[in-house]
Amino acid sequence: MDLRVLNQQHAYQEICSFWDRHGKGEDEQPWQEWDYVFAMTALYRMKRYEDCLQLYHEFHHAYPSSSLLDDRMGWAVYHVHLKGHDFKQGDNARYLKQVDFVLHHGKQGPYSPVAWIVSQVVKAILSGELGQKIDFQRANDYLDCLDPKKLPQEERTYQQDDGKVRRSASEQEKWYADKSKILLKLKQYDACISCCDQALAVIRRFHSNNDAWILLRKIESLIELKRTADAKAALAHLLQGPARHWKMYMLGYQIAVLEHDKDAALKYIGAAALLDASHEMRVQFYEETASFLNEAGYDRMAMLHYHLVDLLRKENEWKLKPHHFSGKIPEDIAALDKRATLRELKDFWRTQRDKDKVFLDGQVKKILPSGRSGFIDAADGKSYYFSFADVQSGRKHLTEGSSVRFTLAKRLDRKKNRLSDNAVEITVEQA
């Protein structure tokens, strides 16, 4: 029996036959350590994963200090017990035991299943598949089994059923994204800030503006620690980038409240509310800003925000909650429907967002081939770069030659690595 030669010849079926005879007690020759390795390779190649586990049990009993088969064992466990696990009907406790078994015996490496299995179990935990109450501490413990610096930095590519190739974040980027999110949830703010700083320092290219979300978590942590100056500086840097989300302005509002800057708070309220139409996502924010407006003397606007919160809760069949003020919403406001409420609020939001801003008129000179950006020739004779993400009204009507109204903001030109004036808050003037 020379399994080494058969392995070199890729004669996996013949090697498997030796293992089958060995299992039946028909093989009188003693098996050496590398015989098990070649047999495990053959069984794995033939997708006989259950037999791989049986072989590992025998091998580990004969050679308890050897780690030669730990990687293959881990992958076999993955195929037999973890891949395709039904989290709704399956035994989730047993699933976690199998995960822990692999992590106990395996080590992170280029051919090890450890990193892949950790990513899968963390994904299951954070998605709620392993229980309605997400166990962030367990997810954090699993992530600590990996060294992020050893994870691949290249974007992952995969082919969908329609044949199109899609890209997703690298394993390293995914680790930092999950880790920073979990640390924030665990209220480990200093650790979250350190994690975010590491991610921003080591990841060369982020997927789908993930750097913005990581920086958002850093800012949230800084706010929780009352480090308002640092949070304010980080937010200013974030707003120079291309990514836009209402939460950025929500954090600006929180910083302004901590600094007792009423004017800045009002500007951020308007910017957050007008960024998109996802008002149901901002119920808690509107509740908080209503209390702020009430204390700041904007009584009617406060009541309109409270009323909008009630309308959104009813619309989504959510439980109504008592508001943070004594008394009732005035009858004239309570009688308004959602459309009328938003009409009045939008006027207020625009007024607050746009005060002290100078708006320019111009015409779209060119839309770049990507269809996501272009240039506007302004009435002042200058040409300004713009992104479609900054078109706030009339985006579907925007073409080359469209008349637009806009203001300017400093944005980072990544190619030139410098700040430049970009056209933002763009409104398409429809004929």
CSV table of all heavy atoms in Angstrom, one decimal, residues 40 44 49 53 56 67-80 82-83 95 98-122 142 145-146 151-152 156 171:
chain,number,residue,atom,x,y,z
A,40,MET,N,-7.6,11.1,3.9
A,40,MET,CA,-8.5,12.2,4.1
A,40,MET,C,-8.7,13.1,2.9
A,40,MET,O,-9.8,13.5,2.5
A,40,MET,CB,-8.0,13.0,5.3
A,40,MET,CG,-8.8,14.3,5.6
A,40,MET,SD,-10.4,13.9,6.3
A,40,MET,CE,-10.2,14.7,8.0
A,44,TYR,N,-12.2,13.6,0.9
A,44,TYR,CA,-12.7,15.0,0.8
A,44,TYR,C,-12.9,15.3,-0.7
A,44,TYR,O,-13.9,15.9,-1.1
A,44,TYR,CB,-11.7,16.0,1.4
A,44,TYR,CG,-12.3,17.3,1.5
A,44,TYR,CD1,-13.1,17.7,2.6
A,44,TYR,CD2,-12.1,18.3,0.5
A,44,TYR,CE1,-13.7,19.0,2.6
A,44,TYR,CE2,-12.6,19.6,0.6
A,44,TYR,CZ,-13.4,19.9,1.6
A,44,TYR,OH,-13.9,21.2,1.7
A,49,TYR,N,-17.9,13.4,3.0
A,49,TYR,CA,-17.6,14.2,4.2
A,49,TYR,C,-17.8,13.5,5.5
A,49,TYR,O,-17.1,13.6,6.5
A,49,TYR,CB,-18.4,15.5,4.2
A,49,TYR,CG,-18.2,16.3,2.9
A,49,TYR,CD1,-19.2,16.6,2.1
A,49,TYR,CD2,-16.9,16.7,2.5
A,49,TYR,CE1,-19.1,17.4,0.9
A,49,TYR,CE2,-16.7,17.5,1.4
A,49,TYR,CZ,-17.8,17.8,0.6
A,49,TYR,OH,-17.6,18.5,-0.6
A,53,LEU,N,-15.0,12.7,8.7
A,53,LEU,CA,-15.1,12.9,10.1
A,53,LEU,C,-14.8,11.6,10.9
A,53,LEU,O,-14.2,11.6,11.9
A,53,LEU,CB,-16.5,13.4,10.5
A,53,LEU,CG,-16.9,14.7,9.9
A,53,LEU,CD1,-18.3,15.1,10.3
A,53,LEU,CD2,-15.9,15.8,10.3
A,56,TYR,N,-11.1,11.2,10.8
A,56,TYR,CA,-10.5,12.2,11.7
A,56,TYR,C,-10.5,11.7,13.2
A,56,TYR,O,-9.6,11.8,14.0
A,56,TYR,CB,-11.1,13.6,11.6
A,56,TYR,CG,-10.5,14.6,12.6
A,56,TYR,CD1,-9.3,15.2,12.2
A,56,TYR,CD2,-11.1,14.9,13.8
A,56,TYR,CE1,-8.7,16.1,13.1
A,56,TYR,CE2,-10.5,15.8,14.6
A,56,TYR,CZ,-9.3,16.4,14.3
A,56,TYR,OH,-8.7,17.4,15.1
A,67,SER,N,-1.7,18.1,14.1
A,67,SER,CA,-2.7,19.0,13.5
A,67,SER,C,-2.8,18.9,12.0
A,67,SER,O,-3.4,19.8,11.4
A,67,SER,CB,-2.4,20.5,13.9
A,67,SER,OG,-1.1,20.8,13.4
A,68,LEU,N,-2.3,17.9,11.4
A,68,LEU,CA,-2.2,17.8,10.0
A,68,LEU,C,-3.6,17.7,9.3
A,68,LEU,O,-3.8,18.2,8.2
A,68,LEU,CB,-1.5,16.5,9.6
A,68,LEU,CG,0.1,16.6,9.7
A,68,LEU,CD1,0.7,15.2,9.4
A,68,LEU,CD2,0.6,17.6,8.8
A,69,LEU,N,-4.6,17.2,10.0
A,69,LEU,CA,-5.9,17.0,9.4
A,69,LEU,C,-7.0,18.0,9.9
A,69,LEU,O,-8.2,17.9,9.6
A,69,LEU,CB,-6.4,15.6,9.7
A,69,LEU,CG,-5.6,14.5,9.0
A,69,LEU,CD1,-6.3,13.2,9.2
A,69,LEU,CD2,-5.5,14.8,7.5
A,70,ASP,N,-6.5,19.0,10.7
A,70,ASP,CA,-7.5,19.9,11.4
A,70,ASP,C,-8.3,20.7,10.3
A,70,ASP,O,-9.5,20.9,10.4
A,70,ASP,CB,-6.8,20.8,12.3
A,70,ASP,CG,-6.4,20.1,13.6
A,70,ASP,OD1,-6.9,19.0,13.8
A,70,ASP,OD2,-5.5,20.7,14.4
A,71,ASP,N,-7.6,21.2,9.3
A,71,ASP,CA,-8.3,22.0,8.3
A,71,ASP,C,-9.3,21.2,7.5
A,71,ASP,O,-10.5,21.6,7.3
A,71,ASP,CB,-7.3,22.6,7.3
A,71,ASP,CG,-6.5,23.7,7.9
A,71,ASP,OD1,-6.8,24.2,9.0
A,71,ASP,OD2,-5.5,24.2,7.3
A,72,ARG,N,-8.9,20.0,7.1
A,72,ARG,CA,-9.8,19.1,6.3
A,72,ARG,C,-11.0,18.7,7.2
A,72,ARG,O,-12.2,18.7,6.8
A,72,ARG,CB,-9.1,17.8,5.9
A,72,ARG,CG,-8.1,18.0,4.7
A,72,ARG,CD,-8.8,18.4,3.4
A,72,ARG,NE,-7.8,18.3,2.3
A,72,ARG,CZ,-8.1,18.8,1.1
A,72,ARG,NH1,-9.2,19.4,0.9
A,72,ARG,NH2,-7.2,18.7,0.2
A,73,MET,N,-10.7,18.4,8.5
A,73,MET,CA,-11.8,18.1,9.4
A,73,MET,C,-12.8,19.3,9.5
A,73,MET,O,-14.0,19.1,9.5
A,73,MET,CB,-11.2,17.8,10.8
A,73,MET,CG,-12.3,17.6,11.9
A,73,MET,SD,-12.9,19.1,12.7
A,73,MET,CE,-11.4,19.8,13.4
A,74,GLY,N,-12.2,20.5,9.6
A,74,GLY,CA,-13.1,21.7,9.7
A,74,GLY,C,-14.0,21.8,8.5
A,74,GLY,O,-15.2,22.1,8.7
A,75,TRP,N,-13.5,21.7,7.3
A,75,TRP,CA,-14.3,21.8,6.1
A,75,TRP,C,-15.3,20.6,6.1
A,75,TRP,O,-16.4,20.9,5.6
A,75,TRP,CB,-13.4,21.7,4.9
A,75,TRP,CG,-12.7,23.0,4.6
A,75,TRP,CD1,-11.4,23.3,4.6
A,75,TRP,CD2,-13.3,24.3,4.3
A,75,TRP,NE1,-11.1,24.6,4.4
A,75,TRP,CE2,-12.3,25.3,4.2
A,75,TRP,CE3,-14.7,24.7,4.2
A,75,TRP,CZ2,-12.6,26.6,3.8
A,75,TRP,CZ3,-14.9,26.0,3.9
A,75,TRP,CH2,-13.9,27.0,3.7
A,76,ALA,N,-15.0,19.5,6.5
A,76,ALA,CA,-15.9,18.3,6.5
A,76,ALA,C,-17.1,18.6,7.5
A,76,ALA,O,-18.2,18.4,7.2
A,76,ALA,CB,-15.2,17.0,6.9
A,77,VAL,N,-16.7,19.2,8.7
A,77,VAL,CA,-17.8,19.6,9.6
A,77,VAL,C,-18.7,20.6,9.0
A,77,VAL,O,-19.9,20.6,9.1
A,77,VAL,CB,-17.2,20.1,10.9
A,77,VAL,CG1,-18.2,20.8,11.8
A,77,VAL,CG2,-16.5,19.0,11.7
A,78,TYR,N,-18.1,21.6,8.3
A,78,TYR,CA,-18.9,22.6,7.6
A,78,TYR,C,-19.9,22.0,6.6
A,78,TYR,O,-21.1,22.3,6.6
A,78,TYR,CB,-17.9,23.6,6.9
A,78,TYR,CG,-18.7,24.5,6.0
A,78,TYR,CD1,-19.4,25.6,6.5
A,78,TYR,CD2,-18.7,24.4,4.6
A,78,TYR,CE1,-20.1,26.5,5.7
A,78,TYR,CE2,-19.4,25.3,3.8
A,78,TYR,CZ,-20.1,26.3,4.3
A,78,TYR,OH,-20.8,27.2,3.5
A,79,HIS,N,-19.4,21.1,5.8
A,79,HIS,CA,-20.3,20.5,4.8
A,79,HIS,C,-21.4,19.6,5.4
A,79,HIS,O,-22.5,19.6,4.9
A,79,HIS,CB,-19.5,19.7,3.8
A,79,HIS,CG,-18.7,20.5,2.8
A,79,HIS,ND1,-19.3,21.2,1.8
A,79,HIS,CD2,-17.4,20.8,2.7
A,79,HIS,CE1,-18.4,21.9,1.1
A,79,HIS,NE2,-17.2,21.6,1.6
A,80,VAL,N,-21.0,18.9,6.5
A,80,VAL,CA,-22.0,17.9,7.1
A,80,VAL,C,-23.0,18.6,8.0
A,80,VAL,O,-24.2,18.4,8.0
A,80,VAL,CB,-21.2,16.8,7.8
A,80,VAL,CG1,-22.2,15.9,8.6
A,80,VAL,CG2,-20.4,16.0,6.9
A,82,LEU,N,-22.9,22.3,9.1
A,82,LEU,CA,-23.1,23.8,9.1
A,82,LEU,C,-23.7,24.3,7.8
A,82,LEU,O,-24.6,25.2,7.8
A,82,LEU,CB,-21.8,24.5,9.4
A,82,LEU,CG,-21.1,24.1,10.6
A,82,LEU,CD1,-19.8,24.9,10.8
A,82,LEU,CD2,-21.9,24.2,11.9
A,83,LYS,N,-23.2,23.9,6.6
A,83,LYS,CA,-23.7,24.4,5.4
A,83,LYS,C,-25.2,24.0,5.2
A,83,LYS,O,-25.6,22.9,5.3
A,83,LYS,CB,-22.8,23.8,4.2
A,83,LYS,CG,-23.2,24.4,2.9
A,83,LYS,CD,-22.3,23.7,1.8
A,83,LYS,CE,-22.6,24.3,0.4
A,83,LYS,NZ,-21.8,23.7,-0.6
A,95,TYR,N,-25.6,23.3,16.3
A,95,TYR,CA,-24.9,24.1,15.3
A,95,TYR,C,-23.7,24.8,15.9
A,95,TYR,O,-22.6,24.8,15.4
A,95,TYR,CB,-25.9,25.0,14.6
A,95,TYR,CG,-25.2,26.0,13.6
A,95,TYR,CD1,-25.1,25.7,12.3
A,95,TYR,CD2,-24.8,27.3,14.1
A,95,TYR,CE1,-24.5,26.6,11.4
A,95,TYR,CE2,-24.3,28.2,13.2
A,95,TYR,CZ,-24.1,27.8,11.9
A,95,TYR,OH,-23.5,28.7,11.0
A,98,GLN,N,-20.9,22.6,17.0
A,98,GLN,CA,-20.0,22.2,15.9
A,98,GLN,C,-19.1,23.3,15.5
A,98,GLN,O,-17.9,23.1,15.2
A,98,GLN,CB,-20.9,21.8,14.7
A,98,GLN,CG,-21.8,20.6,14.9
A,98,GLN,CD,-21.0,19.3,15.1
A,98,GLN,OE1,-19.8,19.2,14.7
A,98,GLN,NE2,-21.6,18.3,15.6
A,99,VAL,N,-19.6,24.6,15.5
A,99,VAL,CA,-18.7,25.7,15.3
A,99,VAL,C,-17.6,25.8,16.3
A,99,VAL,O,-16.4,26.0,15.9
A,99,VAL,CB,-19.6,27.0,15.3
A,99,VAL,CG1,-18.7,28.3,15.3
A,99,VAL,CG2,-20.5,27.1,14.1
A,100,ASP,N,-18.0,25.7,17.6
A,100,ASP,CA,-17.0,25.8,18.6
A,100,ASP,C,-15.9,24.6,18.5
A,100,ASP,O,-14.7,24.8,18.8
A,100,ASP,CB,-17.7,25.7,20.0
A,100,ASP,CG,-18.5,27.0,20.2
A,100,ASP,OD1,-18.3,28.0,19.5
A,100,ASP,OD2,-19.4,26.9,21.1
A,101,PHE,N,-16.4,23.4,18.1
A,101,PHE,CA,-15.5,22.3,17.9
A,101,PHE,C,-14.4,22.6,16.9
A,101,PHE,O,-13.2,22.4,17.1
A,101,PHE,CB,-16.2,21.1,17.5
A,101,PHE,CG,-15.4,19.9,17.3
A,101,PHE,CD1,-14.9,19.1,18.4
A,101,PHE,CD2,-15.0,19.5,16.0
A,101,PHE,CE1,-14.1,18.0,18.2
A,101,PHE,CE2,-14.2,18.4,15.8
A,101,PHE,CZ,-13.8,17.6,16.9
A,102,VAL,N,-14.9,23.2,15.7
A,102,VAL,CA,-13.9,23.5,14.6
A,102,VAL,C,-12.9,24.6,15.1
A,102,VAL,O,-11.7,24.5,14.9
A,102,VAL,CB,-14.7,24.0,13.4
A,102,VAL,CG1,-13.7,24.5,12.3
A,102,VAL,CG2,-15.5,22.9,12.8
A,103,LEU,N,-13.5,25.6,15.8
A,103,LEU,CA,-12.6,26.7,16.3
A,103,LEU,C,-11.6,26.3,17.3
A,103,LEU,O,-10.5,26.8,17.4
A,103,LEU,CB,-13.4,27.9,16.8
A,103,LEU,CG,-14.4,28.5,15.8
A,103,LEU,CD1,-15.1,29.7,16.4
A,103,LEU,CD2,-13.7,28.9,14.5
A,104,HIS,N,-12.0,25.3,18.1
A,104,HIS,CA,-11.1,24.7,19.2
A,104,HIS,C,-9.9,24.0,18.5
A,104,HIS,O,-8.8,24.1,19.0
A,104,HIS,CB,-11.9,23.8,20.1
A,104,HIS,CG,-11.0,23.2,21.1
A,104,HIS,ND1,-10.5,23.8,22.2
A,104,HIS,CD2,-10.6,21.9,21.3
A,104,HIS,CE1,-9.8,23.0,23.0
A,104,HIS,NE2,-9.8,21.8,22.4
A,105,HIS,N,-10.2,23.2,17.5
A,105,HIS,CA,-9.2,22.4,16.9
A,105,HIS,C,-8.4,23.1,15.7
A,105,HIS,O,-7.3,22.7,15.4
A,105,HIS,CB,-9.8,21.1,16.4
A,105,HIS,CG,-10.2,20.2,17.5
A,105,HIS,ND1,-9.3,19.4,18.2
A,105,HIS,CD2,-11.4,19.9,18.0
A,105,HIS,CE1,-10.0,18.7,19.1
A,105,HIS,NE2,-11.2,19.0,19.0
A,106,GLY,N,-9.1,24.1,15.1
A,106,GLY,CA,-8.5,24.7,13.9
A,106,GLY,C,-7.8,26.1,14.2
A,106,GLY,O,-8.0,26.7,15.3
A,107,LYS,N,-7.0,26.5,13.3
A,107,LYS,CA,-6.4,27.8,13.4
A,107,LYS,C,-6.6,28.6,12.1
A,107,LYS,O,-6.7,28.0,11.0
A,107,LYS,CB,-4.9,27.6,13.6
A,107,LYS,CG,-4.5,27.0,15.0
A,107,LYS,CD,-3.0,26.9,15.2
A,107,LYS,CE,-2.6,26.3,16.5
A,107,LYS,NZ,-1.2,26.2,16.7
A,108,GLN,N,-6.6,29.9,12.2
A,108,GLN,CA,-6.8,30.7,11.0
A,108,GLN,C,-5.6,30.5,10.1
A,108,GLN,O,-4.4,30.6,10.5
A,108,GLN,CB,-6.9,32.2,11.4
A,108,GLN,CG,-7.1,33.2,10.3
A,108,GLN,CD,-7.2,34.6,10.8
A,108,GLN,OE1,-7.2,34.8,12.0
A,108,GLN,NE2,-7.3,35.5,9.9
A,109,GLY,N,-5.9,30.3,8.8
A,109,GLY,CA,-4.8,30.1,7.8
A,109,GLY,C,-5.4,30.2,6.4
A,109,GLY,O,-6.6,30.2,6.3
A,110,PRO,N,-4.6,30.2,5.4
A,110,PRO,CA,-5.1,30.3,4.0
A,110,PRO,C,-6.0,29.1,3.6
A,110,PRO,O,-6.8,29.3,2.7
A,110,PRO,CB,-3.8,30.4,3.2
A,110,PRO,CG,-2.7,29.8,4.1
A,110,PRO,CD,-3.1,30.1,5.5
A,111,TYR,N,-5.8,28.0,4.1
A,111,TYR,CA,-6.6,26.8,3.7
A,111,TYR,C,-7.6,26.4,4.9
A,111,TYR,O,-8.2,25.3,4.7
A,111,TYR,CB,-5.7,25.6,3.3
A,111,TYR,CG,-4.7,26.0,2.3
A,111,TYR,CD1,-3.4,26.2,2.5
A,111,TYR,CD2,-5.2,26.2,1.0
A,111,TYR,CE1,-2.5,26.5,1.6
A,111,TYR,CE2,-4.3,26.6,0.0
A,111,TYR,CZ,-2.9,26.8,0.3
A,111,TYR,OH,-2.0,27.1,-0.7
A,112,SER,N,-7.6,27.1,5.9
A,112,SER,CA,-8.4,26.8,7.1
A,112,SER,C,-9.9,27.3,6.9
A,112,SER,O,-10.1,28.4,6.3
A,112,SER,CB,-7.8,27.4,8.3
A,112,SER,OG,-8.8,27.3,9.4
A,113,PRO,N,-10.8,26.6,7.4
A,113,PRO,CA,-12.2,27.0,7.3
A,113,PRO,C,-12.6,28.0,8.4
A,113,PRO,O,-13.7,28.5,8.5
A,113,PRO,CB,-13.0,25.7,7.5
A,113,PRO,CG,-12.2,24.9,8.4
A,113,PRO,CD,-10.7,25.2,8.0
A,114,VAL,N,-11.7,28.3,9.3
A,114,VAL,CA,-12.0,29.1,10.5
A,114,VAL,C,-12.6,30.4,10.2
A,114,VAL,O,-13.6,30.8,10.7
A,114,VAL,CB,-10.7,29.2,11.4
A,114,VAL,CG1,-10.9,30.3,12.5
A,114,VAL,CG2,-10.4,27.9,12.1
A,115,ALA,N,-11.9,31.2,9.3
A,115,ALA,CA,-12.4,32.5,8.9
A,115,ALA,C,-13.7,32.5,8.3
A,115,ALA,O,-14.6,33.3,8.6
A,115,ALA,CB,-11.4,33.2,8.0
A,116,TRP,N,-13.9,31.5,7.4
A,116,TRP,CA,-15.2,31.4,6.7
A,116,TRP,C,-16.4,31.0,7.7
A,116,TRP,O,-17.4,31.6,7.7
A,116,TRP,CB,-15.2,30.4,5.6
A,116,TRP,CG,-16.5,30.1,4.9
A,116,TRP,CD1,-17.3,29.0,5.0
A,116,TRP,CD2,-17.2,31.0,4.0
A,116,TRP,NE1,-18.4,29.1,4.2
A,116,TRP,CE2,-18.4,30.4,3.6
A,116,TRP,CE3,-16.9,32.3,3.6
A,116,TRP,CZ2,-19.3,31.0,2.8
A,116,TRP,CZ3,-17.8,32.9,2.7
A,116,TRP,CH2,-19.0,32.2,2.3
A,117,ILE,N,-16.1,30.1,8.6
A,117,ILE,CA,-17.1,29.7,9.5
A,117,ILE,C,-17.4,30.8,10.5
A,117,ILE,O,-18.6,31.0,10.9
A,117,ILE,CB,-16.7,28.4,10.3
A,117,ILE,CG1,-16.7,27.2,9.3
A,117,ILE,CG2,-17.5,28.1,11.5
A,117,ILE,CD1,-16.1,25.9,9.8
A,118,VAL,N,-16.4,31.5,10.9
A,118,VAL,CA,-16.7,32.7,11.8
A,118,VAL,C,-17.6,33.7,11.1
A,118,VAL,O,-18.5,34.2,11.7
A,118,VAL,CB,-15.3,33.3,12.3
A,118,VAL,CG1,-15.6,34.7,12.9
A,118,VAL,CG2,-14.6,32.4,13.3
A,119,SER,N,-17.3,34.0,9.9
A,119,SER,CA,-18.1,35.0,9.1
A,119,SER,C,-19.5,34.5,9.0
A,119,SER,O,-20.4,35.3,9.1
A,119,SER,CB,-17.5,35.2,7.8
A,119,SER,OG,-17.6,34.1,6.9
A,120,GLN,N,-19.7,33.2,8.8
A,120,GLN,CA,-21.1,32.7,8.7
A,120,GLN,C,-21.9,32.7,10.0
A,120,GLN,O,-23.0,33.1,10.0
A,120,GLN,CB,-21.0,31.3,8.1
A,120,GLN,CG,-20.5,31.2,6.7
A,120,GLN,CD,-21.2,32.0,5.7
A,120,GLN,OE1,-22.4,31.7,5.4
A,120,GLN,NE2,-20.6,33.0,5.1
A,121,VAL,N,-21.2,32.3,11.1
A,121,VAL,CA,-21.9,32.3,12.3
A,121,VAL,C,-22.2,33.7,12.8
A,121,VAL,O,-23.3,34.0,13.4
A,121,VAL,CB,-21.2,31.5,13.4
A,121,VAL,CG1,-19.9,32.2,13.8
A,121,VAL,CG2,-22.1,31.2,14.6
A,122,VAL,N,-21.3,34.7,12.6
A,122,VAL,CA,-21.5,36.1,13.0
A,122,VAL,C,-22.7,36.6,12.1
A,122,VAL,O,-23.5,37.4,12.7
A,122,VAL,CB,-20.3,36.9,12.8
A,122,VAL,CG1,-20.6,38.4,12.9
A,122,VAL,CG2,-19.2,36.5,13.8
A,142,TYR,N,-16.7,35.6,18.8
A,142,TYR,CA,-16.3,34.8,17.6
A,142,TYR,C,-15.4,35.7,16.7
A,142,TYR,O,-14.4,35.1,16.2
A,142,TYR,CB,-17.6,34.5,16.8
A,142,TYR,CG,-18.3,33.2,17.3
A,142,TYR,CD1,-19.7,33.3,17.6
A,142,TYR,CD2,-17.6,32.0,17.5
A,142,TYR,CE1,-20.3,32.1,18.1
A,142,TYR,CE2,-18.2,30.9,18.0
A,142,TYR,CZ,-19.6,30.9,18.3
A,142,TYR,OH,-20.2,29.8,18.7
A,145,CYS,N,-11.8,35.5,17.5
A,145,CYS,CA,-11.0,34.3,17.1
A,145,CYS,C,-10.2,34.6,15.9
A,145,CYS,O,-9.3,33.7,15.5
A,145,CYS,CB,-12.0,33.2,16.8
A,145,CYS,SG,-12.9,32.6,18.2
A,146,LEU,N,-10.4,35.7,15.2
A,146,LEU,CA,-9.6,36.0,14.0
A,146,LEU,C,-8.7,37.2,14.2
A,146,LEU,O,-9.0,38.1,14.9
A,146,LEU,CB,-10.6,36.3,12.8
A,146,LEU,CG,-11.6,35.3,12.5
A,146,LEU,CD1,-12.5,35.8,11.4
A,146,LEU,CD2,-11.0,34.0,12.1
A,151,LEU,N,-6.6,38.5,7.2
A,151,LEU,CA,-7.8,38.3,6.3
A,151,LEU,C,-7.5,39.0,4.9
A,151,LEU,O,-6.8,40.0,4.8
A,151,LEU,CB,-9.1,38.9,6.9
A,151,LEU,CG,-9.6,38.2,8.1
A,151,LEU,CD1,-10.7,39.0,8.7
A,151,LEU,CD2,-10.0,36.8,7.9
A,152,PRO,N,-8.0,38.4,3.8
A,152,PRO,CA,-7.8,38.9,2.5
A,152,PRO,C,-8.4,40.3,2.4
A,152,PRO,O,-9.4,40.6,2.9
A,152,PRO,CB,-8.5,38.0,1.6
A,152,PRO,CG,-8.6,36.7,2.4
A,152,PRO,CD,-8.7,37.1,3.8
A,156,ARG,N,-14.4,40.5,-2.9
A,156,ARG,CA,-14.9,39.2,-3.3
A,156,ARG,C,-15.8,39.3,-4.5
A,156,ARG,O,-16.6,40.2,-4.6
A,156,ARG,CB,-15.6,38.5,-2.1
A,156,ARG,CG,-14.7,38.2,-0.9
A,156,ARG,CD,-15.5,37.6,0.2
A,156,ARG,NE,-16.2,36.4,-0.2
A,156,ARG,CZ,-17.1,35.8,0.6
A,156,ARG,NH1,-17.4,36.3,1.8
A,156,ARG,NH2,-17.6,34.6,0.2
A,171,GLU,N,-13.0,40.2,3.0
A,171,GLU,CA,-13.2,39.6,4.3
A,171,GLU,C,-12.7,40.5,5.4
A,171,GLU,O,-13.2,40.6,6.5
A,171,GLU,CB,-12.5,38.2,4.3
A,171,GLU,CG,-13.1,37.2,3.4
A,171,GLU,CD,-12.4,35.8,3.5
A,171,GLU,OE1,-12.0,35.4,4.6
A,171,GLU,OE2,-12.3,35.2,2.4
